[in-house]
């Protein structure tokens, strides 16, 4: 894949929006860092984000929207959200709120959590793209997993050239730090310090924010115990079926459900959470899962499956 470099002109923004509409990945500038954007409603697009970054885990992503009104279509809004959004949106603040059941977003975006991280970015190019696309854009920072976040299009190209459809060059990001993340699904809590100072948040709230300790299990969303696990025991690397088990297949096997009959890891990632939920409704004694190759997206799939298979507390 050749990564197209687009300008911030209206015609190029339309090209970028068209690519997002086709499920392709487009990196774009926000005021914090460049984001790696994909249609948040499209399972395959979101799977491609994890693939392009080579993330070894499905941690949840931030969804970018054009306005408070749009945000309210995806999350359950509350007074505190209103207060923070009116003070700081558009801007470098992400709010974590309960996901609306009718949100229609890919389960991969939230890593199947019941909450959603959402923000309205301030960068004019991000805003133009969100307006042209007219939909929710999932976007982690546009760097390979484990590398520093990009603040120029050249950084994005250095890390992801050939792995994404396009990058919109909107110059350097002025904040240069990721957004500050505040959790509002329970007590208002600072989940990640970032481009918006804690003092500004507390001034707007008129109260101190709870801080999350680094040893708090919530600090690694990928590890959250609230993560969904199927009711039946899960057995991995199954090459046969034991009595009462049903098979969640991968590749050419006869199975109750198949993550990807053709053995495509991107398709398997896109199907993972749906299929786990669906397997749960089959009332099997156990869920056996075919071996999944442990490279590329297979690493994140296996990480998630190991959690589903881990002994329950
Ligand atoms: O400035 C930013 O926030 C940039 C730009 C592109 O918007 N994005 C960014 O995304 O930094 P990312 O994927 O690198 O970081 C997202 C963070 C992760 O630490 C993730 O765990 C957390 O947001 N997060 C996402 N959804 C969450 C949720 N439902 N609950 C708690 N944390 C969540
Ligand atoms: Mg990042």
């Amino acid at each position: 894949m050749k990564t197209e470099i687009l300008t911030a002109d209206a015609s190029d923004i339309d090209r970028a929006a068209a690519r997002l509409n086709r499920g392709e990945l487009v990196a774009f500038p926000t005021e914090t860092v460049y984001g790696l954007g994909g249609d948040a409603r499209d399972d395959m697009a979101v799977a491609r984000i994890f693939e392009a970054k080579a993330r070894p885990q499905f941690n949840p992503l931030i969804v970018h929207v054009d306005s408070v009104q749009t945000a309210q279509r995806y999350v359950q809004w509350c007074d505190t959200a209103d207060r923070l959004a009116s003070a700081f949106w558009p801007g470098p603040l992400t709010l974590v709120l309960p996901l609306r059941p009718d949100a229609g977003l890919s389960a991969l975006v939230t890593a199947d959590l019941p909450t959603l991280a959402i923000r309205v970015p301030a960068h004019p190019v991000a805003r133009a793209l969100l307006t042209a696309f007219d939909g929710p854009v999932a976007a982690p920072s546009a760097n390979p997993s484990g590398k520093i976040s990009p603040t120029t299009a050249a950084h994005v190209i250095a890390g992801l050239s050939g792995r994404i459809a396009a990058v919109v060059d909107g110059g350097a990001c002025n904040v240069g730090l990721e957004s500050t993340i505040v959790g509002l699904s329970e007590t208002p809590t600072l989940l990640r310090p970032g481009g918006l100072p804690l003092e500004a948040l507390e001034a707007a709230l008129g109260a101190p924010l709870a801080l999350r300790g680094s040893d708090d299990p919530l600090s690694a969303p990928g590890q959250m115990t609230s993560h969904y696990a199927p009711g039946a025991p899960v057995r991995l690397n199954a090459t046969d079926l034991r009595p009462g088990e049903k098979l969640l297949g991968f590749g050419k096997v006869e199975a109750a459900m198949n993550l990807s009959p053709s053995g495509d890891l991107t398709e398997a990632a896109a199907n993972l959470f749906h299929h786990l939920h669906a397997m749960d409704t089959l009332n099997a004694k156990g869920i056996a899962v075919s071996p999944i190759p442990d490279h590329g997206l297979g690493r994140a799939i296996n990480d998630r499956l190991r959690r589903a298979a881990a002994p329950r507390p």
Side-chain angles (χ1 to χ4, degrees), residues 28-257:
F28 62 97
T30 80
E31 70 279 24
T32 59
V33 300
Y34 273 71
L36 177 54
D39 185 340
R41 299 159 299 197
D42 180 340
D43 288 316
M44 283 297 280
V46 181
R48 286 187 193 106
I49 292 176
F50 288 97
E51 182 173 46
K53 286 184 63 95
R55 269 199 179 171
Q57 292 184 337
F58 293 123
N59 38 349
L61 305 179
I62 296 172
V63 167
H64 299 68
V65 293
D66 59 359
S67 65
V68 171
Q69 286 80 344
T70 309
Q72 290 172 345
R73 296 222 292 263
Y74 302 109
V75 288
Q76 282 162 34
W77 204 242
C78 64
D79 287 347
T80 312
D82 220 37
R83 185 175 298 192
L84 292 179
S86 20
F88 302 114
W89 279 1
L93 171 67
T94 296
L95 299 177
V96 174
L97 289 156
L99 178 69
R100 274 177 60 154
D102 59 350
L105 299 182
S106 164
L108 268 183
V109 167
T110 56
D112 214 28
L113 292 169
T115 54
L116 176 69
I118 195 161
R119 83 179 186 98
V120 178
H123 196 292
V125 174
R127 296 179 66 72
L129 181 61
L130 289 169
T131 304
F133 175 60
D134 195 24
V137 174
S141 49
N143 51 282
S145 182
K147 300 286 162 64
I148 19 176
S149 296
T151 53
T152 65
H155 294 161
V156 176
I157 288 295
L160 295 176
S161 182
R163 304 179 66 88
I164 62 177
V167 55
V168 184
D169 188 347
C173 305
N174 58 355
V175 176
L177 264 184
E178 284 91 348
S179 62
T180 300
I181 305 182
V182 175
L184 294 180
S185 58
E186 291 163 33
T187 316
T189 303
L190 181 73
L191 299 180
R192 177 179 76 180
L196 183 70
L198 176 64
E199 291 79 1
L201 283 162
E202 293 185 333
L205 284 174
L209 267 181
L211 304 181
R212 193 166 68 179
S214 55
D215 52 350
D216 188 315
L218 276 175
S219 59
Q223 328 262 341
M224 281 183 209
T225 45
S226 59
H227 252 128
Y228 169 83
V234 175
R235 185 167 68 83
L236 304 182
N237 297 313
T239 49
D240 58 355
L241 270 188
R242 296 178 186 163
E245 280 184 342
K246 289 203 155 68
L247 184 67
L248 176 58
F250 177 84
K252 284 195 196 69
V253 283
E254 203 167 303
M257 300 199 71

Side-chain angles (χ1 to χ4, degrees), residues 112 225-232 234 276-277 280 287 304 307-310 312-313:
D112 214 28
T225 45
S226 59
H227 252 128
Y228 169 83
V234 175
L276 278 175
H277 283 282
D280 220 5
I287 298 171
R304 188 63 194 77
R307 291 174 206 284
R312 318 281 158 78

